[in-house]
Amino acid sequence: MTFAAGRRRTAGRFANVDGIPFRMPVGTPGSPALLAAYPIDPRAAREVVPEELRPHRIRGAGVLVIAVVDYQDTPIGSYVELCAGILCARSDRPAPPLPAGKVFGTGVYICDMPVSTEISVKGGLGIWGMPKRRASLDFVVGESTVSSQYDLDGQMVMRVDVPRPARAWLPLRLTGTGYASFRGMLVKSSVTLRGRMGVTRGAGPDSRLLIGDHERAAWLKRLDVGDRPFLTAFIPALRGVLDDHVESWFLTSASPLPPPGDGLGAVVGLGLGQDRLPPPDRAGSDRLLEPREHVTQMP
């Protein structure tokens, strides 16, 4: 059964998974989102993703993808979600040149996925295996810039600013694939995305990425993120549907592996809370941003 056929079959029906009530399909009818894609060291990218995946390259560089959605209407309420990961393919061979398409299992290996609410962690991690954690997040749409900041334990992990184009005209029609590690397995999920984007190629004057000194940012610092993004985009009203089908495979290695980082114990005690943590410290990140610097890493 195809993704679209499965969605039509379940449309309007109800589900209850791990105590979370869903009205199908699981998605949003229209929420603002931003996207940024940065060049990274391909060798460092290879060290971050599991052996079952192969990082893609654009002009010889790996690709860091940062996407933030301000979900305003979903079956589990409103929340902000930040996805940071590496563009890759599930293949035994080196990833082919882009676009590779479904044949090569092209998708994003999600390294970190903070969200605003407890219920989103419970569902995203427990059901879809996404590496979600509750954190302080915001989503700010200004006259010339769209921005999101991610704080954890009172420290900044990252802040991403992208230009806000004068209009969003480019049609977005995409079935995206997300890979993640959970319980010692590689988990694959799919999402359909629709909307119109305003796109900026290269580093516009309002394109900035600030990487903080929290331990959750350590993997980002290892990637040697370039100071000029491949592109950034703003989608004023993103329509998305998350597939209710999930695939998983054991993560393997030539030598014995340590216990997985996130397991079922990370979600067993979670509830259905929709409260958010206090907003990130914008004043602090404003002081750290220098007028013409696109990427800043704190010492």
Side-chain angles (χ1 to χ4, degrees):
M1 181 180 292
T2 65
F3 186 3
R7 187 173 64 217
R8 288 193 297 270
R9 179 182 62 81
T10 60
R13 298 178 66 83
F14 297 88
N16 193 307
V17 183
D18 283 343
I20 305 175
F22 292 99
R23 182 178 176 89
M24 308 300 285
V26 180
T28 179
S31 296
L34 68 83
L35 172 70
Y38 279 88
I40 55 176
D41 182 340
R43 291 167 298 183
R46 171 66 278 176
E47 294 175 359
V48 170
V49 304
E51 294 181 21
E52 284 77 4
L53 301 175
R54 301 297 182 97
H56 276 294
R57 297 191 185 198
I58 296 179
R59 298 197 294 271
V63 184
L64 170 69
V65 178
I66 300 173
V68 190
V69 185
D70 182 11
Y71 286 112
Q72 298 180 354
D73 184 7
T74 80
I76 58 172
S78 65
Y79 60 96
V80 179
E81 175 184 279
L82 186 151
C83 173
I86 296 172
L87 193 67
C88 60
R90 183 171 176 263
S91 173
D92 294 331
R93 297 169 292 166
L98 292 174
K102 294 182 180 179
V103 173
F104 294 95
T106 296
V108 173
Y109 177 70
I110 305 170
C111 301
D112 200 8
M113 200 176 210
V115 291
S116 298
T117 61
E118 181 184 31
I119 190 172
S120 181
V121 178
K122 184 178 178 69
L125 180 59
I127 300 171
W128 283 275
M130 301 173 183
K132 291 192 174 185
R133 66 190 65 246
R134 190 168 174 236
S136 295
L137 294 162
D138 63 11
F139 192 93
V140 180
V141 180
E143 292 185 3
S144 61
T145 304
V146 185
S147 175
S148 179
Q149 183 165 323
Y150 162 25
D151 285 8
L152 191 63
D153 306 319
Q155 294 179 277
M156 186 186 67
V157 180
M158 76 169 78
R159 171 174 160 174
V160 57
D161 296 2
V162 305
R164 180 181 179 182
R167 63 191 185 97
W169 61 272
L170 184 65
L172 170 66
R173 297 183 62 84
L174 173 68
T175 298
T177 297
Y179 295 103
S181 298
F182 180 52
R183 300 171 55 211
M185 295 190 294
L186 179 69
V187 184
K188 175 187 175 184
S189 58
S190 300
V191 60
T192 58
L193 303 173
R194 300 288 185 267
R196 290 187 176 273
M197 304 187 296
V199 177
T200 303
R201 295 183 61 184
D206 296 308
S207 178
R208 296 179 289 266
L209 177 62
L210 184 63
I211 299 174
D213 59 1
H214 192 280
E215 62 180 8
R216 289 299 304 175
W219 71 275
L220 280 168
K221 292 187 175 184
R222 294 200 303 269
L223 295 177
D224 189 22
V225 183
D227 62 354
R228 296 179 63 86
F230 289 120
L231 62 84
T232 60
F234 172 53
I235 306 99
L238 178 70
R239 303 187 304 278
V241 176
L242 182 61
D243 195 3
D244 61 352
H245 172 77
V246 179
E247 296 181 73
S248 60
W249 305 268
F250 282 14
L251 289 169
T252 63
S253 175
S255 57
L257 291 167
D262 281 329
L264 291 176
V267 293
V268 166
L270 293 178
L272 307 180
Q274 297 187 27
D275 294 336
R276 302 189 185 190
L277 297 174
D281 179 14
R282 279 273 170 171
S285 63
D286 283 342
R287 289 192 297 269
L288 291 168
L289 283 173
E290 298 179 8
R292 289 188 175 274
E293 193 160 11
H294 299 296
V295 178
T296 303
Q297 297 189 7
M298 295 172 62

